[in-house]
Amino acid sequence: MSNINLIDSFQEFKDFKNIDRPTVISVLEEVFRSMLRKKYGTDENCDVIVNPDNGDLEIWRTRKVMEDGFSEDDDLEIELAEAKTIDPDLEVGDDHIEQITLESFGRRAILAARQTLVSKVLELEKDEIFKKYKDRVGEIVTGEVYQVWKKETLVLDDEGNELMMPKTEQIPADYFKKGDSVRAVISKVDMVNATPKIIISRIAPEFLQRLFEIEVPEIFDGLITIKKIVREPGERAKVAVESYDDRIDPVGACVGMKGSRIHGIVRELKNENIDVINFTNNISLYIQRALSPAKITSIKLDDVTKHASVYLKPDQVSLAIGRGGHNIKLAGKLTGYEIDVYREAGEEDEDVDIEEFSDEIDSWIIDELKAIGCDTAKSVLALSVDELVKRTDLEEETIKEVIAILQSEFE
């Protein structure tokens, strides 16, 4: 045969992704040079010519014509008598050039070469996928759900690459089935046993940030900066934003007219409640904004211990704490201060500090109640048993006993 068509000989080419043809051709050339070294002991006198457009490859071997009986290396030299049987015009000192055909290597060598080629290109493909995604950590990717397991979901990108989304990286309300389109952020890329493992996440703060960049042009253009994001995925998120242009209201721009911009983000995050807050270096004001929608009466700060004591009217305490304690927890993460809320009792409001019951109620139970803003007897009694069970780690029976003790104080 005059040449070797690699596309026809190695059908696996058609299945490779992410590898450009020149790279594959160079791998092919190396594979054939390896075959030449095994067959002839050297490839230094061989030319491997590759046509990257159609996959054709030609191999030419050059040997020096020597006088009969003077050839010292048959791999590099050929005796005159043998050379003349091939080309009668050859003389001593000429170069004898012959074309090597694929069949001359033998079936076993060709099969081994195919296996080596597939192995090398797969290895290159994995390296390319790793490099591609390693540089994209923090970016949003859209894929199609291919398979759902108990602990993770397999997603394929538009090139068929596998992306893994562990259950721990999904919003609690997420429910996927095969064929669903899903958006997530690339959170981690590792090589595990020479195979790239790409982890995507829907709970990472970066996912929410990328969604804001998509929905709010001012953020994408750099006119508004997201200073910090904290989340309780699927429940609540707080986003601190700042504008470098006094003419732009960062909060209004992020929310949009009648909430037009933020509604799409909320739907994507399964109705996660998102508070957009105007960032400020005034810590007292920052904490007030972070505890929104609660209205604060006064704040005492300890900048050394990063502790804030916040005083509110009785009807604002539950707003400051939030359902499940999410609001106060996120406000603390956003501002970097440990926040304690205290109820401001009016003169007509006879109440008793919960610490007064330390002889009847264990201190760890009192601490649990104070952690959710219930620092007085009436603040505990204002909540139902179910609500107290939900907000604390206390058993229902324990809460009923506490309520009975507190109620007896006002009888």
Side-chain angles (χ1 to χ4, degrees):
M1 59 190 293
S2 60
N3 60 11
I4 303 166
N5 187 283
L6 304 175
I7 302 274
D8 292 338
S9 301
F10 297 90
Q11 291 297 322
E12 292 87 349
F13 271 174
K14 299 177 181 178
D15 301 326
F16 292 133
K17 308 181 293 289
N18 301 305
I19 305 296
D20 56 85
R21 181 168 291 238
T23 302
V24 175
I25 294 298
S26 69
V27 173
L28 270 166
E29 183 177 341
E30 178 52 38
V31 168
F32 273 87
R33 285 195 171 277
S34 176
M35 292 171 68
L36 288 166
R37 288 192 292 270
K38 286 181 182 177
K39 183 176 176 65
Y40 299 115
T42 181
D43 67 327
E44 63 183 63
N45 60 329
C46 296
D47 292 317
V48 180
I49 304 168
V50 179
N51 185 332
D53 296 324
N54 58 20
D56 284 351
L57 178 144
E58 297 178 4
I59 303 174
W60 298 92
R61 182 186 182 209
T62 303
R63 287 186 291 172
K64 184 69 70 177
V65 178
M66 306 293 290
E67 289 186 14
D68 294 342
F70 284 87
S71 175
E72 296 179 356
D73 188 342
D74 291 340
D75 292 324
L76 298 174
E77 300 167 346
I78 183 172
E79 293 187 355
L80 182 61
E82 182 184 349
K84 281 187 175 292
T85 62
I86 302 169
D87 184 352
D89 296 331
L90 287 174
E91 299 294 340
V92 174
D94 289 345
D95 285 334
H96 171 259
I97 301 173
E98 63 181 320
Q99 185 169 10
I100 307 298
T101 62
L102 183 61
E103 291 93 331
S104 67
F105 289 104
R107 182 173 177 275
R108 183 174 295 179
I110 294 170
L111 290 174
R114 177 184 279 116
Q115 188 59 42
T116 302
L117 173 65
V118 172
S119 176
K120 282 181 177 290
V121 177
L122 282 175
E123 188 178 316
L124 275 173
E125 184 183 53
K126 290 176 181 179
D127 286 341
E128 286 298 316
I129 294 172
F130 177 77
K131 289 175 187 175
K132 172 185 174 182
Y133 275 97
K134 191 71 174 175
D135 295 336
R136 292 182 61 193
V137 170
E139 286 185 21
I140 272 189
V141 64
T142 301
E144 182 179 307
V145 174
Y146 184 74
Q147 196 159 357
V148 179
W149 296 293
K150 185 176 181 180
K151 293 185 177 180
E152 57 189 357
T153 298
L154 173 61
V155 178
L156 301 182
D157 69 5
D158 54 5
E159 294 179 346
N161 297 315
E162 295 185 353
L163 315 173
M164 299 304 303
M165 183 163 56
K167 193 72 175 175
T168 53
E169 297 297 328
Q170 299 175 31
I171 297 169
D174 277 341
Y175 173 77
F176 301 113
K177 59 183 184 297
K178 185 171 182 176
D180 284 351
S181 179
V182 60
R183 280 200 295 182
V185 71
I186 301 165
S187 65
K188 191 177 180 183
V189 181
D190 287 323
M191 273 296 227
V192 180
N193 297 325
T195 300
K197 186 172 184 181
I198 303 154
I199 304 296
I200 57 176
S201 171
R202 286 172 53 80
I203 68 168
E206 291 81 8
F207 183 49
L208 180 51
Q209 180 167 343
R210 296 290 97 80
L211 291 175
F212 265 102
E213 289 171 0
I214 292 170
E215 297 291 338
V216 185
E218 292 87 347
I219 293 178
F220 183 81
D221 294 337
L223 299 173
I224 295 174
T225 299
I226 294 177
K227 301 294 286 187
K228 192 171 184 180
I229 294 177
V230 290
R231 292 179 67 192
E232 285 290 332
E235 293 289 342
R236 199 177 195 111
K238 289 186 181 289
V239 183
V241 295
E242 184 178 34
S243 172
Y244 296 119
D245 189 333
D246 294 338
R247 295 169 297 178
I248 297 176
D249 169 22
V251 174
C254 291
V255 174
M257 189 73 69
K258 296 183 179 179
S260 58
R261 289 177 171 177
I262 207 166
H263 280 164
I265 300 174
V266 170
R267 282 194 299 272
E268 178 70 48
L269 301 182
K270 307 298 182 184
N271 295 321
E272 191 170 306
N273 192 342
I274 302 173
D275 299 327
V276 183
I277 298 156
N278 207 338
F279 176 80
T280 175
N281 288 316
N282 182 328
I283 295 299
S284 179
L285 179 58
Y286 194 29
I287 291 174
Q288 286 187 51
R289 291 173 178 174
L291 284 172
S292 175
K295 291 180 173 59
I296 294 166
T297 304
S298 61
I299 297 179
K300 291 181 181 177
L301 297 177
D302 187 333
D303 293 328
V304 176
T305 61
K306 296 284 185 179
H307 186 274
S309 299
V310 178
Y311 297 86
L312 311 95
K313 290 182 179 179
D315 62 341
Q316 297 296 304
V317 172
S318 60
L319 286 175
I321 300 297
R323 189 179 69 177
H326 294 311
N327 198 53
I328 192 169
K329 186 189 298 182
L330 290 176
K333 289 181 179 179
L334 189 72
T335 60
Y337 274 67
E338 184 181 345
I339 303 172
D340 286 331
V341 298
Y342 296 94
R343 182 184 304 267
E344 277 199 344
E347 292 180 5
E348 74 289 345
D349 186 13
E350 293 183 5
D351 205 346
V352 182
D353 192 303
I354 198 166
E355 291 284 359
E356 297 291 325
F357 297 90
S358 58
D359 56 337
E360 298 176 81
I361 302 173
D362 290 341
S363 60
W364 67 272
I365 297 176
I366 290 174
D367 289 341
E368 277 285 325
L369 294 169
K370 287 173 69 177
I372 64 165
C374 295
D375 52 351
T376 66
K378 286 189 175 180
S379 66
V380 176
L381 295 174
L383 300 175
S384 67
V385 173
D386 288 343
E387 188 68 20
L388 287 168
V389 169
K390 186 187 298 182
R391 291 191 183 185
T392 67
D393 289 332
L394 300 175
E395 300 288 338
E396 183 177 338
E397 194 61 38
T398 302
I399 288 172
K400 287 180 178 178
E401 291 175 6
V402 170
I403 289 174
I405 294 169
L406 300 180
Q407 284 176 336
S408 65
E409 177 68 22
F410 298 100
E411 290 176 353

